Amino acid sequence: MITTRVQPEAFDSGIETAALGAGRHDIGAVVSFTGHVRADAGLVSLSLEHYPGMTERQLAAIAAEAEARWPLLGGTVIHRHGRLLPGDAIVLVAIASAHRGAAFAAAEFLMDWLKTRAPFWKREERADGSTAWVAPRTSDDTAAARWEQT
Amino acid sequence: MQLLYFAWVRERIGTGGETLDPPAGVATVAALLDWLATLSPGHAAALADRGAIRVAVDEVFVGPDAGLGTAREVAIFPPVTGG
């Protein structure tokens, strides 16, 4: 069962990842991805807005889709909102399975779909005081599209 | 009908949401956007580039041709940029 959380608070990737395998003898692989705020071109902060209600619903739907596609033994998805600073962790996807193949694939799938289907919006604050909403990237759409099933 | 606006759509309209009663002829998402754009210069500016607008009806993504039916909540926002 993959648990999903949307929260302003910081999280500890190490603790979350270790918890997935604790006391379990059936898990052979835990794959985790942590996304951080990168200080591109004078970035001072990144503020994440989201759609309360739909965000939780979309994360649960994406997690259910991953569980339907791969034999998973657990997982944790955390996405933060609010004002974050360079170096802060934004998102965690940690997936447990018996073997690494499913865990790697499911983690990548979850990140790709989360980026294009979860209702979050990033606004950059720059050193000169200006702000700008982050534009969607075509490469994110391309990455998400490769998981489409016909 | 409860309208919700996010990111730069919210900023351009000047509010995060409002409760409105669209005219009887407004039956699709596209028609709703057309009608909303007539309400104020801010609405018009927010909805000018339809290619940059995404819509969710009762928390489910839909396209412009989707019917509004008994929609309770319609959210209007730019393409998402999380992760």
Side-chain angles (χ1 to χ4, degrees):
Chain A
M1 184 70 191
I2 299 174
T3 57
T4 59
R5 282 150 49 191
V6 182
Q7 63 186 45
E9 297 85 10
F11 56 80
D12 185 319
S13 294
I15 290 173
E16 299 291 345
T17 304
L20 287 176
R24 301 278 297 259
H25 294 171
D26 53 342
I27 290 172
V30 177
V31 167
S32 75
F33 169 86
T34 308
H36 292 255
V37 178
R38 195 179 53 238
D40 286 347
L43 182 116
V44 172
S45 76
L46 203 55
S47 291
L48 282 108
E49 181 172 333
H50 77 115
Y51 179 178
M54 184 173 175
T55 309
E56 289 80 358
R57 177 195 284 240
Q58 288 294 98
L59 290 184
I62 296 165
E65 181 67 25
E67 288 172 326
R69 293 189 185 204
W70 291 279
L72 306 181
L73 294 173
T76 301
V77 174
I78 303 173
H79 203 305
R80 293 177 68 190
H81 59 90
R83 185 170 184 268
L84 305 180
L85 303 176
D88 284 352
I90 303 176
V91 60
L92 169 73
V93 169
I95 295 297
S97 187
H99 302 282
R100 72 181 184 283
F104 271 121
E108 194 161 25
F109 163 83
L110 280 158
M111 273 310 302
D112 286 345
W113 271 29
L114 188 154
K115 283 186 90 81
T116 53
R117 296 178 184 229
F120 287 94
W121 301 273
K122 291 191 185 105
R123 190 182 61 191
E124 297 177 346
E125 176 193 357
R126 305 210 180 90
D128 63 4
S130 65
T131 62
W133 291 96
V134 171
R137 293 153 55 110
T138 309
S139 58
D140 288 337
D141 290 333
T142 307
R146 68 201 162 115
W147 301 102
E148 295 288 349
Q149 293 178 326
T150 53
Chain B
M1 176 186 291
Q2 178 67 38
L3 279 297
L4 295 177
Y5 310 125
F6 293 99
W8 53 255
V9 173
R10 170 178 56 73
E11 290 182 338
R12 288 178 195 176
I13 292 179
T15 179
E18 55 191 333
T19 303
L20 296 172
D21 283 316
V26 173
T28 65
V29 165
L32 177 67
L33 297 178
D34 287 343
W35 176 70
L36 287 171
T38 66
L39 297 184
S40 79
H43 287 80
L47 302 172
D49 179 5
R50 294 298 163 82
I53 294 294
R54 300 291 181 271
V55 176
V57 171
D58 292 331
E59 300 187 350
V60 176
F61 284 112
V62 295
D65 298 332
L68 293 173
T70 56
R72 195 175 41 79
E73 181 175 284
V74 177
I76 303 172
F77 44 77
V80 302
T81 55

